[in-house]
Amino acid sequence: MNSADTKKWYYMLPIISIAILLGGWMLVAQGEGSMIPTPYATLMRFLDICVHPISKAVLPVHMWMSLKRVLIAFVFAIVLGIGLGVGLGWSTSFHAFADPVFEILRPIPPIAWIPLVILWCGIGELPKVVIVFIGSFVPIVLNTYSGIKEIDSLLINAGLVLGANRRQLLTEITLPATTPAILAGIRTALSSGWMCVVAAEMIAAKQGVGFLIVRGQESGDTALIVACMLVIGVVSLLLSTILSKLEGVLCPWQFSKTK
Amino acid sequence: MSEDVKVKVRGLTKKFGDLLVLDNISFDVKKGDFVCIVGPTGCGKTTFLNLLVKLLEPTEGQILIDNEPADPKKHNMAFVFQEPSAYQWLTVEENIQYGLKIKKYPKDVIEERTKEIMETLGLEAVRKSYPHELSASLEQRVVIGRAFALHPDLLLMDEPYAQMDIKVRYYLEDQVIKLWQKTGSTVLFITHNIEEAVYLSEKCLILSNKPTTIKEEKKIELPRPRNIASSEFIELREYVTSQIKWW
Ligand SMILES: Nc1ncnc2c1ncn2[C@@H]1O[C@H](COP(=O)(O)OP(=O)(O)OP(=O)(O)O)[C@@H](O)[C@H]1O
Ligand SMILES: [Mg+2]
């Protein structure tokens, strides 16, 4: 194959894989009383809930509710997570102080917090935001911390010999060197945050995509469930694309211009 | 103590656990001298430079720069490490300026030095590139540029040219001599290459195997520019080589 053909081939492959997915889906959705909605039924349901409200809101509003919870929690998780991660990685005494507590709390799955958080914060917006925060905070802390721990000591030494002070070593050497690791943590945090928001909404919410999925389950409306799942998938994809762009802006050195 | 001693080493001993690496070493480096340190692999050359800039603490003994303990914030020194140490997130140009910025040089000096380094080290074409886009040898040149830009009083280089091809190496050897002559700095230069050591240095510090002592301080009194094909040169080169072998 010449290179133009190869290129065409690479454009074809994703189309083929999606076609196979759709084909398989149609196949299993065949037949009377199938518990799986057909792609067509799902599409129709999707269009329907875009205009006809469920629980006083159309689909875009539910989506926005979920997204808003994720984004608010995310801002706090990024600021506090990077802060704690830098503290753990940079200061030996802070590490000795805070690490044991963090190590005990860290392995607890964020979803396990849901009952307690609902008891504490009621059923308003706060508990969902808190749960997403817990879910996205941990990966950001861990990646920031290990990024700082694993920094090549040569880079620090080179800075020391040039006469850099401790603040410069942190802000001009350690943090830039750790940015890719922090961004990887944010990426993990994003998927974890989505998981948490859907889970929290499934348990206690009047709006949001997680709520819609449970509503679908209660009324046996499988098309609604699948439509919501696909919307979650597409929105996550969009967010992760935005994140990739952000990586390109924050770490231009990772992406060569010449190669 | 006389005024013109740049580096004073007294009774320097370094152990890593039970491993005795440097064994009670004493010597002086004169201000403005060009000293090459040669010795067997693993004898502690890198360890010595790290001790000198306080990246390591000696087990015993002391090292003084200008009669006081080394302090990178005070002494104008530069270190080219054995492994590549360019900052990946800075462009070639920013890497070269980084030391000058830390030392808060005025803008016009930074501009002028950058220009000078770009020219002498042939980095103009890649000034906006990031280090990972460069070959290993070009990346090392960036680190050398970062050190040269400081016009350091004390320039420490740990096998800086080891990975360069012969043409580039000859060129850079002449560049370090030029910088040394122009700025009157004191240079400590570690190398495995005896020809390089004899070509560059005023004095060769020949180290023994571990536990390491100074085997000999050999003055190299050849006129410059030196001719590596001359019989005096070859004789010296073979002498130093034999001193390393027969320890
Ligand atoms: N941080 C360390 N901990 C333990 N041992 C070390 C450490 N650094 C160096 N050594 C040991 O000290 C000895 C001297 O190491 P050093 O790197 O100074 O040698 P070198 O002369 O620079 O060698 P090379 O020619 O390979 O660069 C080696 O045996 C090495 O294994
Ligand atoms: Mg070494």
Side-chain angles (χ1 to χ4, degrees):
Chain A
M1 271 194 288
N2 64 36
S3 73
D5 279 351
T6 317
K7 233 185 187 153
K8 255 187 232 155
W9 182 235
Y10 285 146
Y11 281 118
M12 288 297 291
L13 281 174
I15 298 174
I16 294 173
S17 71
I18 289 174
I20 291 175
L21 176 73
L22 271 176
W25 181 4
M26 277 153 134
L27 216 65
V28 293
Q30 285 297 320
E32 285 293 303
S34 169
M35 284 309 286
I36 300 166
T38 61
Y40 179 73
T42 308
L43 178 65
M44 284 301 124
R45 191 71 181 107
F46 168 75
L47 295 175
D48 180 53
I49 51 178
C50 282
V51 287
H52 296 118
I54 296 177
S55 183
K56 291 191 223 126
V58 291
L59 179 64
V61 174
H62 285 290
M63 194 66 231
W64 171 240
M65 288 304 294
S66 302
L67 195 59
K68 205 169 73 184
R69 289 163 184 156
V70 171
L71 293 181
I72 292 172
F74 226 60
V75 170
F76 285 98
I78 288 175
V79 173
L80 297 174
I82 294 177
L84 181 62
V86 168
L88 287 173
W90 190 245
S91 155
T92 318
S93 40
F94 184 73
H95 181 264
F97 170 74
D99 191 55
V101 177
F102 184 67
E103 283 298 315
I104 291 168
L105 298 182
R106 179 174 74 85
I108 300 172
I111 294 173
W113 287 91
I114 292 179
L116 204 54
V117 172
I118 289 176
L119 285 175
W120 283 339
C121 315
I123 52 163
E125 281 306 293
L126 188 61
K128 287 118 201 161
V129 172
V130 170
I131 285 159
V132 176
F133 170 80
I134 295 172
S136 43
F137 175 69
V138 171
I140 295 177
V141 176
L142 285 180
N143 272 269
T144 307
Y145 169 59
S146 62
I148 290 182
K149 274 284 129 188
E150 278 155 29
I151 187 175
D152 188 352
S153 60
L154 193 62
L155 298 177
I156 300 287
N157 287 347
L160 275 174
V161 174
L162 290 171
N165 59 32
R166 224 175 126 71
R167 183 189 59 73
Q168 288 167 322
L169 289 180
L170 179 62
T171 59
E172 292 173 14
I173 295 175
T174 305
L175 285 182
T178 316
T179 309
I182 296 177
L183 285 168
I186 290 179
R187 190 170 278 284
T188 315
L190 192 64
S191 51
S192 167
W194 264 114
M195 195 177 73
C196 291
V197 83
V198 172
E201 288 170 352
M202 286 169 77
I203 291 171
K206 295 210 168 50
Q207 285 184 337
V209 278
F211 159 79
L212 282 186
I213 289 178
V214 171
R215 175 56 67 87
Q217 184 208 341
E218 286 164 352
S219 55
D221 187 348
T222 51
L224 175 62
I225 299 177
V226 175
C228 290
M229 287 167 65
L230 287 178
V231 168
I232 292 173
V234 170
V235 172
S236 305
L237 185 67
L238 278 177
L239 289 179
S240 112
T241 312
I242 294 173
L243 208 55
S244 298
K245 289 270 179 295
L246 192 71
E247 278 168 5
V249 174
L250 288 176
C251 312
W253 72 91
Q254 298 239 304
F255 308 90
S256 1
K257 287 164 279 185
T258 52
K259 271 181 207 158
Chain B
M1 219 37 237
S2 81
E3 269 298 289
D4 58 355
V5 174
K6 185 73 186 172
V7 180
K8 187 162 86 177
V9 179
R10 288 295 175 270
L12 182 68
T13 301
K14 180 66 189 175
K15 287 184 194 168
F16 290 109
D18 285 338
L19 180 73
L20 178 58
V21 178
L22 299 179
D23 185 13
N24 196 12
I25 291 180
S26 301
F27 66 93
D28 288 340
V29 177
K30 279 198 326 249
K31 222 164 247 174
D33 211 352
F34 197 131
V35 177
C36 277
I37 303 174
V38 294
T41 298
C43 73
K45 303 182 292 294
T46 299
T47 303
F48 169 69
L49 284 199
N50 285 337
L51 286 163
L52 183 59
V53 295
K54 287 251 174 271
L55 291 175
L56 289 173
E57 282 300 319
T59 310
E60 265 170 62
Q62 57 176 353
I63 305 183
L64 300 177
I65 297 177
D66 296 328
N67 263 317
E68 52 188 355
D71 177 1
K73 291 194 191 65
K74 195 152 53 178
H75 297 118
N76 183 10
M77 54 188 179
F79 197 143
V80 177
F81 292 88
Q82 194 165 358
E83 293 86 23
S85 61
Y87 290 129
Q88 300 297 319
W89 54 91
L90 299 180
T91 61
V92 166
E93 190 174 47
E94 290 164 343
N95 260 289
I96 284 166
Q97 296 170 341
Y98 187 65
L100 297 166
K101 282 186 179 154
I102 283 198
K103 296 207 188 292
K104 300 207 168 62
Y105 278 80
K107 228 181 167 146
D108 52 325
V109 177
I110 295 182
E111 288 299 315
E112 178 203 324
R113 295 274 176 92
T114 310
K115 193 157 166 285
E116 167 200 314
I117 296 296
M118 292 288 175
E119 275 165 18
T120 54
L121 296 186
L123 293 168
E124 285 136 321
V126 294
R127 60 187 289 166
K128 294 284 178 210
S129 300
Y130 287 101
H132 84 176
E133 298 169 309
L134 311 178
S135 67
S137 118
L138 209 51
E139 182 176 341
Q140 183 70 351
R141 250 191 273 175
V142 174
V143 178
I144 292 165
R146 190 171 70 195
F148 280 15
L150 288 168
H151 287 180
D153 302 335
L154 183 59
L155 176 60
L156 311 165
M157 302 181 88
D158 193 352
E159 302 191 30
Y161 303 158
Q163 15 172 350
M164 315 250 167
D165 63 56
I166 201 157
K167 223 177 97 199
V168 176
R169 202 175 72 219
Y170 283 159
Y171 177 76
L172 290 177
E173 283 168 2
D174 287 332
Q175 291 306 323
V176 73
I177 292 173
K178 264 193 201 152
L179 181 87
W180 168 66
Q181 288 172 334
K182 178 170 144 191
T183 62
S185 63
T186 310
V187 183
L188 292 183
F189 191 108
I190 294 176
T191 176
H192 264 122
N193 186 324
I194 311 300
E195 181 188 275
E196 184 170 71
V198 175
Y199 183 72
L200 290 175
S201 69
E202 298 284 285
K203 192 161 86 179
C204 261
L205 213 58
I206 305 171
L207 302 180
S208 72
N209 257 317
K210 276 192 304 259
T212 304
T213 51
I214 295 175
K215 190 142 195 280
E216 186 177 347
E217 293 188 38
K218 178 76 187 156
K219 278 220 154 74
I220 310 286
E221 287 168 316
L222 297 174
R224 294 176 193 269
R226 291 175 180 168
N227 176 2
I228 57 169
S230 74
S231 58
E232 300 98 313
F233 188 96
I234 292 171
E235 201 178 301
L236 267 169
R237 193 192 72 203
E238 280 173 354
Y239 174 77
V240 174
T241 310
S242 69
Q243 284 302 87
I244 291 178
K245 274 189 199 144
W246 307 342
W247 70 287

